Amino acid sequence: DAGVTQSPTHLIKTRGQHVTLRCSPISGHKSVSWYQQVLGQGPQFIFQYYEKEERGRGNFPDRFSARQFPNYSSELNVNALLLGDSALYLCASSLSGSSEAFFGQGTRLTVV
Amino acid sequence: QKEVEQNSGPLSVPEGAIASLNCTYSDRGSQSFFWYRQYSGKSPELIMFIYSNGDKEDGRFTAQLNKASQYVSLLIRDSQPSDSATYLCAVSEDFGNEKLTFGTGTRLTIIP
């Protein structure tokens, strides 16, 4: 069975640019969450989506946005990139009604 | 602000010994508690979850929860070099909420 898949795996962007990260959840999982993990820190919650509706948002600026599609895949968009946005971006999926989240391999974003 | 505290380590344990990892959390209303293992450069992998006070065992791993003390621990018996990794403690507000608050992680090294 395929796990959570994220694309791309690595990305280098310039300050001020925009980036779109993609996530496909485990088959049957309807909830997708996004996390940012800066080197040496634990993941920080950005967004949760369930059935295409935003269910939660972490303490991130409006430059961060996301959406979930009818097939439950999701995109995370970040505008006006800053050097501080350099991090590992993790997508996690879970069954509805369950908190057991399974993570994808992540997208390593470097902003230069 | 909800916080999850972990000793960042590094924690060094001889092969075959018991490794003990600890975590405290600030939100008394937290309902779900998770331990993730993260190898360097990889995404977090769910090891254990616990919802009720007491102990929960799975193979060489035992999770312990004390809600009165707001304390969660993970014991790893018969430690192996492959257990060397960063262990992340994560807490959720309720059973249906995948918004996880993570600690910064404890780096564990098993010495052969």
Side-chain angles (χ1 to χ4, degrees):
Chain A
D1 285 343
V4 180
T5 57
Q6 292 185 243
S7 62
T9 55
H10 295 84
L11 199 54
I12 299 175
K13 289 286 191 178
T14 303
R15 277 178 299 175
Q17 284 188 316
H18 162 271
V19 68
T20 297
L21 310 180
R22 296 178 174 82
C23 171
S24 293
I26 293 171
S27 178
H29 286 195
K30 297 182 179 180
S31 178
V32 169
S33 298
W34 287 95
Y35 292 81
Q36 180 197 65
Q37 187 175 24
V38 174
L39 196 62
Q41 300 294 316
Q44 279 208 311
F45 172 76
I46 310 176
F47 284 108
Q48 183 204 353
Y49 275 79
Y50 174 69
E51 290 279 16
K52 296 164 289 187
E53 300 266 330
E54 182 182 303
R55 292 280 289 267
R57 182 184 183 121
N59 188 23
F60 280 81
D62 292 342
R63 298 184 297 107
F64 288 77
S65 64
R67 55 180 176 168
Q68 187 177 32
F69 298 99
N71 65 354
Y72 304 112
S73 66
S74 178
E75 284 183 353
L76 175 69
N77 295 283
V78 187
N79 292 324
L81 285 166
L82 303 174
L83 295 179
D85 295 330
S86 296
L88 180 67
Y89 287 84
L90 295 162
C91 173
S93 76
S94 59
L95 288 168
S96 51
S98 165
S99 283
E100 299 167 43
F102 297 90
F103 285 86
Q105 82 281 12
T107 294
R108 174 75 61 187
L109 173 65
T110 302
V111 182
V112 297
Chain B
Q1 183 171 344
K2 299 168 190 171
E3 292 183 348
V4 176
E5 300 283 344
Q6 294 181 256
N7 187 325
S8 62
L11 175 66
S12 296
V13 173
E15 183 176 357
I18 296 175
S20 177
L21 304 162
N22 304 314
C23 170
T24 59
Y25 59 94
S26 63
D27 183 7
R28 189 170 287 278
S30 298
Q31 299 287 347
S32 309
F33 307 87
F34 304 84
W35 284 99
Y36 284 84
R37 177 176 63 199
Q38 187 172 28
Y39 293 113
S40 180
K42 302 296 185 182
S43 62
E45 173 193 8
L46 181 65
I47 299 176
M48 294 280 294
F49 62 90
I50 187 167
Y51 299 145
S52 304
N53 275 329
D55 295 0
K56 180 180 179 182
E57 186 174 317
D58 183 1
R60 295 187 298 112
F61 299 97
T62 298
Q64 298 175 317
L65 173 61
N66 184 326
K67 288 187 176 182
S69 300
Q70 296 176 241
Y71 177 89
V72 192
S73 66
L74 178 70
L75 301 178
I76 306 175
R77 289 181 299 281
D78 187 24
S79 297
Q80 302 297 311
S82 60
D83 294 327
S84 297
T86 295
Y87 288 80
L88 297 162
C89 173
V91 171
S92 179
E93 295 175 340
D94 58 44
F95 299 108
N97 188 346
E98 292 89 350
K99 177 186 171 182
L100 299 174
T101 301
F102 282 85
T104 56
T106 298
R107 187 156 54 95
L108 173 66
T109 300
I110 306 301
I111 304 168

